[in-house]
Amino acid sequence: MVTINENYLKLKAGYLFPEIARRVSTFAAAHPDADLIKLGIGDVTEPLPEACRTAMIKAVDDMGDRATFHGYGPEQGYAWLREKIAQQDFQARGCDITADEIFISDGSKCDCGNILDIFGHDNTIAVTDPVYPVYVDTNVMAGHTGDASEDGKYEGLVYLPISAENNFTAEIPKQKVDLIYLCFPNNPTGATATRAHLESWVAYAQEHGSLILFDAAYEAFITDPTMPHSIYEVPGARDCAIEFRSFSKNAGFTGTRCAFTVMPKTLKVKASDGSAVDLHRLWNRRQATKFNGVSYIIQRGAEAVYSEAGQSQIQALIRFYLENARIIREQLSAAGITTYGGVNAPYVWVKTPHGLSSWDFFDKLLHTCNVVGTPGSGFGAAGEGYLRISAFNSRENVEQAMTRITANFQG
Ligand code: MLT
């Protein structure tokens, strides 16, 4: 008899975004004339930067000539891309990260899930509440949790509440945890971490022998010069943190797929016999076995992000989306609705008006305004009473959505 991974049966309903898509398509089927504006999933809308497109077109031509054709690439990514990342994203910020510590991949969502392959099943795992659901669901799939309770919390995980009271940054836990997921700028709340906050996490990890899984997919949206972009800006982090980065949100690669994980060679964990094991070696082994790399064409496109033209084009994209976020924040605030985030992040975390539940507000927005958001409760129990609005859309759609919302809802 075929058996299954029964951990999947513990998962609550659908993954959040497909569940939203299901509700939206049911609505759209019943209301075919509705002019829907989607500010739910954080998917970019603006075209790929010209520098990236030009590089990709040139790479397609390379593939058409035997002399410049590329078959399988290195599973870790091409050296020319890894070097640019190491220099411009890390060394230029004073982070001691080298090219051979960068692993190119097809997405940081994928890497955040895949990373669990190299860890054991007995780790104590901490996540914030609310949290990007991938961290939780992949641990459920891997059998690292018990069942979910009524409010959607899984037995065995340590939940660190984040709220307006703690500026959406978790208190450092009193107990020892082994793996800690942190995401800054934060998805879903749009909060950012000060250097001091990251320093306290690194100090905690050093004291307890813990490992930080640092998701920095939105770092490009940081405009405040005092905020760290990478955990490796904190001394000591290369001994206790793995960082996930992406080209999805800064360069519009959500459909093109390119990201990377930074796995410092100094990360060591003890095996059950007490011997020190190098995580870089395990991750390299995992990738070389289960992954064949990102296509040459796409990596050439990602490389162009680091050219002078690429840098100025991605800065323009980021300014564009941050301006959308400003419009969302200011218009909702003017209507008396409380918002958080959206300053150094593309997400605005909105307190639902009149104490509506997250899904009730979601449904009302969909039916009354034909606007799609993401219910805060989908990110965890502590997200109840909030809705996330994404700034990834055209200016016209964002303005139109705000006009509709503020005409129908006042705080
Ligand atoms: C989101 O909306 O939270 C993002 O699209 C998630 C992701 O990038 O996977």
Side-chain angles (χ1 to χ4, degrees):
M1 192 181 91
V2 175
T3 61
I4 53 157
N5 176 353
E6 302 231 348
N7 296 309
Y8 277 65
L9 305 181
K10 296 179 198 161
L11 291 164
K12 299 288 283 179
Y15 175 55
L16 178 62
F17 295 106
E19 172 60 19
I20 292 169
R22 194 188 59 75
R23 289 189 185 213
V24 170
S25 56
T26 306
F27 174 82
H31 305 87
D33 297 330
D35 173 21
L36 279 171
I37 301 179
K38 296 184 181 171
L39 303 176
I41 190 165
D43 192 5
V44 295
T45 54
E46 301 311 296
L48 280 178
E50 192 189 345
C52 301
R53 282 182 281 131
T54 307
M56 289 182 201
I57 292 165
K58 155 90 176 47
V60 171
D61 289 339
D62 289 349
M63 297 298 275
D65 182 338
R66 184 171 288 115
T68 48
F69 172 80
H70 286 74
Y72 290 127
E75 293 90 352
Q76 303 79 0
Y78 285 102
W80 33 261
L81 176 57
R82 301 169 83 196
E83 269 151 25
K84 293 216 170 58
I85 293 170
Q87 283 157 16
Q88 296 192 38
D89 283 334
F90 296 99
Q91 292 159 13
R93 291 192 174 277
C95 308
D96 177 18
I97 294 295
T98 54
D100 56 0
E101 296 176 320
I102 312 279
F103 289 77
I104 310 298
S105 76
D106 60 348
S108 50
K109 172 166 112 175
C110 319
D111 283 355
C112 284
N114 293 337
I115 200 76
L116 294 178
D117 276 9
I118 65 169
F119 295 111
H121 296 296
D122 301 324
N123 293 308
T124 311
I125 295 158
V127 292
T128 62
D129 180 12
V131 69
Y132 178 43
V134 170
Y135 313 148
V136 172
D137 287 2
T138 52
N139 274 291
V140 176
M141 291 169 177
H144 298 167
T145 72
D147 288 326
S149 61
E150 280 277 280
D151 64 358
K153 286 189 174 163
Y154 287 92
E155 199 190 315
L157 291 183
V158 175
Y159 287 91
L160 308 174
I162 56 173
S163 63
E165 283 69 51
N166 57 18
N167 290 322
F168 299 99
T169 50
E171 309 288 331
I172 306 296
K174 304 265 183 295
Q175 80 262 48
K176 177 183 180 308
V177 296
D178 301 306
L179 295 178
I180 306 143
Y181 288 85
L182 294 179
C183 174
F184 288 112
N186 187 249
N187 181 9
T189 67
T192 37
T194 59
R195 184 175 304 276
H197 184 67
L198 295 189
E199 281 168 358
S200 13
W201 275 114
V202 168
Y204 172 89
Q206 286 173 325
E207 185 188 338
H208 296 279
S210 320
L211 187 79
I212 299 169
L213 301 174
F214 191 75
D215 183 350
Y218 300 94
E219 62 75 34
F221 292 85
I222 297 175
T223 51
D224 179 338
T226 67
M227 303 245 168
H229 287 238
S230 165
I231 188 114
Y232 304 117
E233 289 178 51
V234 175
R238 48 173 292 120
D239 301 323
C240 62
I242 295 171
E243 183 163 306
F244 303 97
R245 291 274 191 112
S246 173
F247 293 100
S248 284
K249 314 293 161 107
N250 62 345
F253 275 49
T254 53
T256 313
R257 312 306 307 152
C258 198
F260 59 93
T261 287
V262 188
M263 183 69 75
K265 289 190 160 169
T266 41
L267 288 173
K268 304 256 188 256
V269 167
K270 282 214 168 65
S272 54
D273 66 1
S275 59
V277 178
D278 179 353
L279 287 183
H280 184 280
R281 182 169 65 80
L282 296 194
W283 184 242
N284 189 50
R285 186 71 172 79
R286 190 260 171 221
Q287 291 298 83
T289 303
K290 291 195 177 181
F291 187 56
N292 259 340
V294 173
S295 86
Y296 169 73
I297 297 162
I298 300 305
Q299 290 193 61
R300 280 294 186 201
E303 183 194 24
V305 163
Y306 297 94
S307 65
E308 213 178 306
Q311 284 292 296
S312 99
Q313 290 159 17
I314 68 163
Q315 283 312 320
L317 272 178
I318 288 158
R319 277 196 304 275
F320 176 83
Y321 290 126
L322 283 178
E323 175 63 8
N324 282 350
R326 185 191 66 77
I327 292 167
I328 296 168
R329 279 189 289 115
E330 292 189 356
Q331 301 235 357
L332 295 181
S333 301
I337 297 173
T338 306
T339 67
Y340 302 94
V343 178
N344 292 286
Y347 295 126
V348 181
W349 189 238
V350 180
K351 185 95 195 84
T352 61
H354 311 300
L356 287 171
S357 76
S358 298
W359 277 109
D360 281 350
F361 190 41
F362 170 89
D363 284 333
K364 280 192 197 298
L365 277 189
L366 180 60
H367 289 263
T368 322
C369 308
N370 301 160
V371 171
V372 181
T374 307
S377 55
F379 296 100
E384 181 53 272
Y386 289 89
L387 182 111
R388 191 192 74 176
I389 295 194
S390 154
F392 293 116
N393 215 310
S394 66
R395 181 64 38 78
E396 192 191 350
N397 277 349
V398 165
E399 284 172 345
Q400 177 59 234
M402 290 309 113
T403 304
R404 292 186 202 166
I405 297 177
T406 54
N408 285 279
F409 295 94
Q410 299 284 316

